[in-house]
Amino acid sequence: MPRDDDESPATTDTAGAEPEPAPDSEPAPEAIKTADAPPLTRAGNPRGRGHWVRGLALTLVGALVPFLIMASDRQYGFSVPVGLLGCLIAAAGLFELLATFDDPDANVVERTSLGKLWPRLVELLAAVIVHVVTLRLAVAGVLPKPIPTAALLITGSFLWVIVATFRVGQALGAWRADESGEERPLLRRHGFWLLVILTLLYLPLLGSFSLSDPWETHYGEVSREMLARDDWISTWWAQDGWFWSKPVFDFWIQALSFKLLGVHFMPGQMLAGAKQGLFPQPEWAARMPIFIITLIGVYAIYKAVAGSFGRRAGFIGAVVLVTMPYFYLIGHQTMTDMPYVGPLTAALGLLLLGFHADPEREVKRVELRLGKRTLRLSAFHLLFAFVILTVLPQVLYLASRNLTLQLSHAPFGFRPHIDEFFAGSGGGNCGLPGNQECRRFLPVNKGFEPWLGALCWSVAAGVLLWANRGERRVQRLYFLAGWYFTALAALGKGAPGLVLPIFIALAYVGARKRWLDLSRMELAGLVLVFAAVVLPWYVQMYMRHGGPFTDRLLTHDMYKRAFVHVHDTNTGDDTSFRYYVWQLGYGLFPWTGLGAAGLLWASRIREKSQRGDATALLLLWFVATFGMFTVTLTKFHHYIFPLVPPIAMFAGVVLDRCIRPAELPRGKRLAAYLGGLGIGALVLLYGASRLVPGSLLGVTNAENQAPPGNFRAGLALAALGLAAMLAAAWAYRGRDAQALPDAGRDAESSHDTSVMLAIIGLASAVPVALAGRDLFMTTRGDIEGQARLMHLFTYNYRREWPASLDFKSALLAFTLAATLGAALLVARRLRTHAAVGLLVLGVLWGAWGLDVYLFQAGEHWGQRSTMLAYYRDRQGPEQPLVAYQMNWKGENFYMGNQVPAFVSSGQRFKDWVKKEREKGAKVMYFTTEHGRINGLKSELGNPANFKVLTDKRQNNKFFVARVEW
């Protein structure tokens, strides 16, 4: 746990109310007070008119590059980095055009030159290039020992990117000092250690297991078709035609990642390298954008909570958040949920920071000298660079829909035309069984061509940029940043991403009677951001497809899912108020009890203070989200996911209250202390797992039998592990541990508060034990207990659990350890170490859940192993793979949709096979579910040479068979 050096004393509150924030909770580090200058509401005086010429030239040259790439009738492997560079140049041109680099000298607090900054920029560029190259090698499957090598190189290079980014900011002076003015090195920053923990937990095996059917492969296939069809507006879905169930944000970021990282997205190419002994891992490209979004959301909510409750409370809450199954499992899925909840979390975190910022405080400026030209940079440029990078590609793409650059056939050159697009699978799949024929289409609404849309949204973005060209007040920029992420959430999931942040923010204003904030919240900016970021795709989809698009997306998948039960996946389950309470028990484990305790603790905080205001917003977040999804009639286990961040933050605040700084070691002794707790916890978990048959790794023998247990040895090891943890706590206790009580933590010195924390510890142990019991035990007639974690993000809650995996003893071990840790919070002298021990246990739980449970179970919920078996066994593409009674989409994604698909078989299937045999087919491969093997054999005429290539230990749901005629 990072050292909180500047935790300062607060006044004693015998009533047990929360103390005011320590100095470490002042506004964010980029905020500085400029007492001698009014807030900057318009740009500074430009130095002559040269900025017009430079700005216009840079804008046009920069925008021309991505426009030509988009307008071309060819696709290029370099399009993403080159297009990004062009957009950055255009953004710089727009900033220059509006004279945003020319703030007054009095507002500059740091000066540097490109010569001094250059080494750090080179380091950052090198780190990014190494990271991208490493990802490309993993995707291509050329790394030796591909899984461990990718885990080591990708994780290490990303940590280098984090460090290099900090060094650049430090060289610029942007975050050399913290908010108190102290120079805080990287290793003493809570945010850095949070990013390290998140990276070490989430990144090592992110792309080393199969995409899960049906949702990951559904959305991955839509993204793949986006590239194969070269159409970034109209989305297509394998055999099912137009895909209108979800907005486009997840598909865009996946497709960009596929392109950047070298995924072979054309039909039949994605896993073809397996025949040459390679191990392609396109999952890295599919999931990497989800990881980045997760990181942004977590860091934003950490900063927001740290600003009100202190850095340590924010850090602990964020660690709790990233070790909750709901968060770390969905953070490993290319579903649309993290692309909406991540931005939503960032939006509410930024809005909370905005509400607590001084209205007249201005952001820090730094001056960068480029030869004779000086640029004054600030957070304004960072924010609006993101806005421009989101809007400009959309505008340029719309403009390119009416002007094609023909380079692949005559006549060469530009061809103006009305908008045109086609239906069908890209790359030559049209006409395969199960696929529609390719057909050209014209827009339903022909009066609003894409170039006109490009003009409209350019005006909206231009007005937004012009109106805020001189805005340097930190509060206004926080609000604008919050609305930007709100727009991304709406582009990721639709109405929930837009409604929740706006409703929570306005309800907070009313509840706390902060009416003046209505004039500062940049509501006009919200409208402009929404218009520029979200509307281009929605409007152009309506122009192309008309009412059927809005009927499907807005009416069926938003309105009807909320007010009409359009999906019935939970037959026999209680879908009332209890439904999400039930699922949260598993999704928050092992923080189930402390999450509930945090809500009760928060209800005590009623004072008019920054902490009181932050508590109110988090409580409104909880109530609004729980109420919204509880009344929604269509229920999936993961719909309650947006509720997880505020619960985690409240649990973090309670744990922070349990920790007395005087009892913790400092510096190197802290590392030894945490290491001792970690080793002791591992021994404790191993011993507890030996109490019953099984192992922490979930392995079984060839007969699917778990290793036998040894109750006495397990009990002895568990006791030894607990003793090791207590010994570490004693040996490395804080040097001031004997001082009573710590002056800086008045809440712990209060007898009433101490008693309440003891009650919370004892009470929180009960729901943890109950939730854990449901995970490692299975009631007769109920689903397999250990499957409940997979059900937090999957579909078909009644599917069979793989007999080759047995995690019951591991789940029992974590349940016993978490219950014991919560119960030890009762003892005042052990409370600090019990709280830290719970955090260590939570990190181990997250590592086990991702690197053991999900890594092994995920292969059974996807089809990568079966598709790899096909590619390794076949002689060439003349030996096709056929999907028999399949519609899961994994077969489409991994095959590039080059798969004859028969969702329903019968005579049509038999006739097609007969025709292929008449054409000379000697060998064919078939994939289907294990339960349909007899039906497949029967419809094939019970061929003598029918060989199943994969068994249930590889994949208990699907198999691949080779048939020789």
Side-chain angles (χ1 to χ4, degrees), residues 339-519:
Y340 124 74
V341 173
L344 182 147
T345 302
L348 287 167
L350 289 162
L351 292 175
L352 179 57
L353 286 168
F355 283 123
H356 293 155
D358 184 339
E360 302 306 318
R361 191 177 295 269
E362 295 183 6
V363 294
K364 181 188 296 185
R365 285 80 147 186
V366 296
E367 181 180 277
L368 177 64
R369 294 190 300 277
L370 302 175
K372 296 181 179 180
R373 181 76 171 99
T374 59
L375 308 179
R376 275 67 180 275
L377 306 174
S378 69
F380 163 86
H381 297 97
L382 180 64
L383 168 60
F384 279 92
F386 276 102
V387 174
I388 293 169
L389 290 177
T390 307
V391 177
L392 184 60
Q394 296 190 63
V395 168
L396 294 176
Y397 187 76
L398 288 176
S400 73
R401 294 309 85 198
N402 292 119
L403 190 66
T404 297
L405 176 58
Q406 291 187 173
L407 298 175
S408 59
H409 59 85
F412 300 104
F414 288 101
R415 178 176 66 90
H417 54 83
I418 63 173
D419 188 23
E420 54 187 17
F421 57 101
F422 77 93
S425 178
N429 289 328
C430 297
L432 280 176
N435 279 271
Q436 300 180 21
E437 295 289 342
C438 287
R439 293 176 297 156
R440 288 209 168 271
F441 277 83
L442 295 178
V444 172
N445 301 300
K446 301 178 178 60
F448 193 82
E449 284 292 314
W451 70 266
L452 187 56
L455 180 62
C456 290
W457 314 127
S458 297
V459 170
V463 171
L464 174 69
L465 188 56
W466 175 263
N468 293 281
R469 67 193 185 282
E471 184 58 77
R472 303 296 183 269
R473 289 169 290 187
V474 64
Q475 184 184 60
R476 303 299 182 106
L477 293 177
Y478 273 138
F479 283 135
L480 286 169
W483 299 138
Y484 167 73
F485 281 103
T486 298
L488 290 185
L491 198 59
K493 193 83 170 185
L498 179 67
V499 171
L500 275 174
I502 295 175
F503 175 82
I504 292 167
L506 294 179
Y508 166 80
V509 169
R512 304 301 284 186
K513 295 181 173 56
R514 300 174 60 109
W515 306 114
L516 191 58
D517 282 334
L518 289 174
S519 64

Side-chain angles (χ1 to χ4, degrees), residues 734-751:
R735 300 185 186 279
D736 301 323
Q738 302 303 318
L740 291 177
D742 181 66
R745 306 295 287 178
D746 66 290
E748 283 68 48
S749 68
S750 165
H751 175 72

Side-chain angles (χ1 to χ4, degrees), residues 27-181:
E30 67 267 28
I32 61 166
K33 188 71 176 178
T34 54
D36 57 345
L40 202 67
T41 56
R42 55 174 45 198
N45 294 324
R47 299 169 181 174
R49 297 187 177 273
H51 72 97
W52 284 94
V53 177
R54 289 191 301 269
L56 189 59
L58 285 172
T59 302
L60 293 178
V61 171
L64 182 63
V65 174
F67 175 78
L68 292 176
I69 292 174
M70 294 173 180
S72 174
D73 59 359
R74 293 181 178 179
Q75 293 201 48
Y76 305 95
F78 57 78
S79 59
V80 173
V82 172
L84 175 61
L85 179 60
C87 288
L88 286 172
I89 293 172
L94 288 170
F95 290 144
E96 179 72 3
L97 190 64
L98 297 175
T100 65
F101 294 131
D102 297 305
D103 283 359
D105 290 343
N107 295 320
V108 176
V109 297
E110 194 76 30
R111 288 178 168 84
T112 188
S113 66
L114 183 60
K116 295 180 180 179
L117 186 62
W118 186 250
R120 296 308 182 198
L121 290 175
V122 170
E123 180 189 11
L124 177 58
L125 181 61
V128 171
I129 290 174
V130 169
H131 183 62
V132 171
V133 169
T134 306
L135 283 166
R136 289 182 67 97
L137 294 174
V139 168
V142 299
L143 292 173
K145 297 188 180 300
I147 292 178
T149 305
L152 179 63
L153 294 180
I154 293 173
T155 305
S157 61
F158 189 81
L159 289 173
W160 185 20
V161 171
I162 293 174
V163 173
T165 302
F166 173 79
R167 290 177 184 270
V168 169
Q170 191 177 44
L172 276 172
W175 44 66
R176 181 176 301 158
D178 64 13
E179 60 275 3
S180 64

Side-chain angles (χ1 to χ4, degrees), residues 514-736:
R514 300 174 60 109
W515 306 114
L516 191 58
D517 282 334
L518 289 174
S519 64
R520 302 168 178 159
M521 287 174 62
E522 293 289 343
L523 296 178
L526 166 62
V527 175
L528 291 171
V529 168
F530 181 80
V533 172
V534 181
L535 288 185
W537 178 78
Y538 278 91
V539 171
Q540 205 57 45
M541 280 290 286
Y542 180 74
M543 293 301 118
R544 280 188 171 188
H545 303 284
F549 162 68
T550 52
D551 289 345
R552 174 68 201 207
L553 178 61
L554 303 181
T555 304
H556 182 274
D557 284 280
M558 293 184 189
Y559 175 80
K560 286 188 175 180
R561 284 198 184 202
F563 302 108
V564 180
H565 196 178
V566 297
H567 292 285
D568 193 17
T569 60
N570 304 301
T571 304
D573 291 339
D574 180 2
T575 56
S576 65
F577 172 86
R578 168 186 176 272
Y579 182 80
Y580 286 123
V581 175
W582 171 37
Q583 292 308 316
L584 283 167
Y586 315 132
L588 304 181
F589 185 88
W591 308 108
T592 310
L594 282 172
L599 292 171
L600 294 176
W601 183 275
S603 66
R604 304 167 59 242
I605 307 174
R606 298 187 177 90
E607 74 270 17
K608 295 288 186 180
S609 66
Q610 186 169 333
R611 288 184 177 180
D613 288 348
T615 300
L617 188 140
L618 292 172
L619 280 173
L620 284 168
W621 185 348
F622 171 83
V623 172
T625 306
F626 188 82
M628 177 177 177
F629 290 105
T630 297
V631 301
T632 297
L633 295 181
T634 301
K635 287 182 170 63
F636 288 108
H637 292 357
H638 63 280
Y639 274 9
I640 202 63
F641 180 43
L643 187 69
V644 175
I647 294 181
M649 293 303 112
F650 284 138
V653 169
V654 171
L655 277 176
D656 181 59
R657 297 277 73 78
C658 292
I659 296 174
R660 300 174 67 207
E663 295 181 349
L664 290 179
R666 303 296 178 98
K668 295 180 180 179
R669 299 179 74 248
L670 177 60
Y673 167 73
L674 294 175
L677 289 181
I679 293 172
L682 282 172
V683 175
L684 171 62
L685 290 169
Y686 177 71
S689 71
R690 295 293 310 278
L691 297 175
V692 297
S695 74
L696 283 175
L697 300 180
V699 297
T700 60
N701 60 22
E703 288 74 36
N704 296 330
Q705 295 176 335
N710 188 322
F711 186 83
R712 291 184 178 179
L715 194 61
L717 285 170
L720 178 63
L722 179 60
M725 295 181 73
L726 293 174
W730 174 259
Y732 295 103
R733 66 192 185 279
R735 300 185 186 279
D736 301 323

